[in-house]
Amino acid sequence: MQILRTPAERFAGIPDYPFAENWFEVDLGDGLTARQHYVDEGAKDAPPVLLFHGEPSWSFLYRKMIPILVDAGFRVLAPDLIGFGKSDKPDDIGFYTYARHVAWLKQWRTAIEPRPAALFCQDWGGLLGLRMVAHDPDLFACVVASNTFLPAGGTPSQAFLAWREFARSSPDFRIGPLLDRATATPRSETEIAAYDAPFPDEPSKAGARAFPALVPVEDGMPGVEDNKRAWPSLAAYDKPFLTLFGEDDPVTKGSEKFLVERIVGAKGQPHRTLPNCGHFCQEDQPEALAQGVIDTARKAGHLV
């Protein structure tokens, strides 16, 4: 297995992404390390908010939300998961596991910002972030979840099964057009190119191809028992927990009810289903999502 590093020139001219690069060395296990890239904007002593992306995007997805959150008074931290964005990319699909990704993201979080933080999570950002909330609830001042869930077996939707098979077997696995198709508003050619930028060749897409098959949506899959063990702690989380889901997302639409009905902190919150909003809600409704984070953090006393 090789640890690939996407050439810096692939990211030249990325639109509306003026953020300085920051790096953290992650211990991958098996004697391997990788550089993890993250955005770190706002005053270092400001109340932190973590923005966790999912599959197959990167921190570029948050470029419209970051300035709003900085202006509101946050320290905004948006990591690129290992295998995505500017971060290094193991080229072996089998090396990627749910448990490893949780461990890698915990390493980053412990080293970079160990204080209690607000969390915004979408897609795999929720599968990772909600597991982390369950493990260490005191480290999270509040949560805003969008188009995500914490699955623990069951019966997957046909839409998800189709996506899983496409990611596994499609010979034409271009990331930019995937992002474009999964938003309710069209992306420009430069934006599509920005989502393609981290993946110059097939080996660099190992993480993107691996992730759908790692979602523990069927009984017996790795991760099912871990998530079952995590759910009682997540359900007991009593700080503000808001859901903002997109009405046009065929994969996660309706999943918010499991979060709203089970998590103590979700009771009485102004949950919304956002119109004209697809799976990658950060592209379609960045202002509404950012305001949801600001309002929830203020309700939690995390932001003045």
Side-chain angles (χ1 to χ4, degrees), residues 24-304:
F24 173 70
E25 194 82 3
V26 175
D27 179 0
L28 299 179
D30 297 344
L32 300 169
T33 62
R35 286 199 320 169
Q36 182 163 24
H37 170 261
Y38 63 98
V39 174
D40 186 351
E41 296 288 312
K44 295 294 187 289
D45 60 350
V49 59
L50 311 176
L51 309 179
F52 289 172
H53 75 81
E55 149 80 2
S57 60
W58 61 292
S59 55
F60 179 75
L61 184 64
Y62 284 108
R63 70 196 181 284
K64 300 174 186 177
M65 293 176 62
I66 290 169
I68 301 172
L69 295 171
V70 170
D71 288 346
F74 283 107
R75 179 190 185 187
V76 182
L77 293 152
D80 291 342
L81 299 177
I82 295 297
F84 297 84
K86 295 185 178 183
S87 295
D88 289 351
K89 301 168 180 69
D91 68 356
D92 179 2
I93 291 176
F95 187 71
Y96 293 88
T97 69
Y98 194 162
R100 278 177 169 157
H101 263 289
V102 173
W104 296 339
L105 196 54
K106 279 187 171 184
Q107 278 186 52
W108 170 84
R109 197 272 162 90
T110 299
I112 302 304
E113 181 49 276
R115 295 179 297 161
L119 170 66
F120 179 90
C121 55
Q122 179 260 343
D123 189 85
W124 259 97
L127 272 74
L128 301 172
L130 297 180
R131 177 88 77 80
M132 291 167 66
V133 172
H135 290 172
D136 298 293
D138 290 342
L139 293 181
F140 295 89
C142 60
V143 178
V144 179
S146 183
N147 296 348
T148 191
F149 54 124
L150 190 68
T155 304
S157 69
Q158 289 303 308
F160 178 79
L161 290 176
W163 160 237
R164 188 172 69 180
E165 178 57 27
F166 179 82
R168 185 191 70 82
S169 62
S170 173
D172 182 24
F173 194 58
R174 274 197 61 206
I175 306 303
L178 285 174
L179 268 289
D180 185 36
R181 290 195 294 272
T183 58
T185 51
R187 309 272 56 80
S188 69
E189 288 302 315
T190 54
E191 288 171 329
I192 291 172
Y195 284 115
D196 275 332
F199 307 106
D201 51 26
E202 181 60 33
S204 66
K205 299 176 185 178
R209 285 199 183 269
F211 257 26
L214 300 180
V215 181
V217 290
E218 296 172 283
D219 295 341
M221 290 184 65
V224 168
E225 294 305 317
D226 289 333
N227 281 358
K228 285 182 177 178
R229 285 190 291 269
W231 255 111
S233 177
L234 181 63
Y237 181 79
D238 61 0
K239 296 165 205 172
F241 189 108
L242 178 69
T243 63
L244 296 171
F245 276 50
E247 71 173 13
D248 301 310
D249 180 13
V251 176
T252 66
K253 184 178 181 180
S255 298
E256 67 270 25
K257 67 182 180 181
F258 298 106
L259 303 174
V260 172
E261 292 172 357
R262 297 181 68 178
I263 297 173
V264 171
K267 303 299 186 289
Q269 302 299 331
H271 306 288
R272 293 176 59 197
T273 301
L274 300 177
N276 197 34
C277 186
H279 183 65
F280 294 100
C281 49
Q282 301 94 323
E283 290 286 4
D284 293 326
Q285 291 281 5
E287 295 87 359
L289 297 173
Q291 192 60 52
V293 173
I294 293 165
D295 293 345
T296 305
R298 285 177 176 157
K299 184 177 294 187
H302 184 61
L303 185 70
V304 177

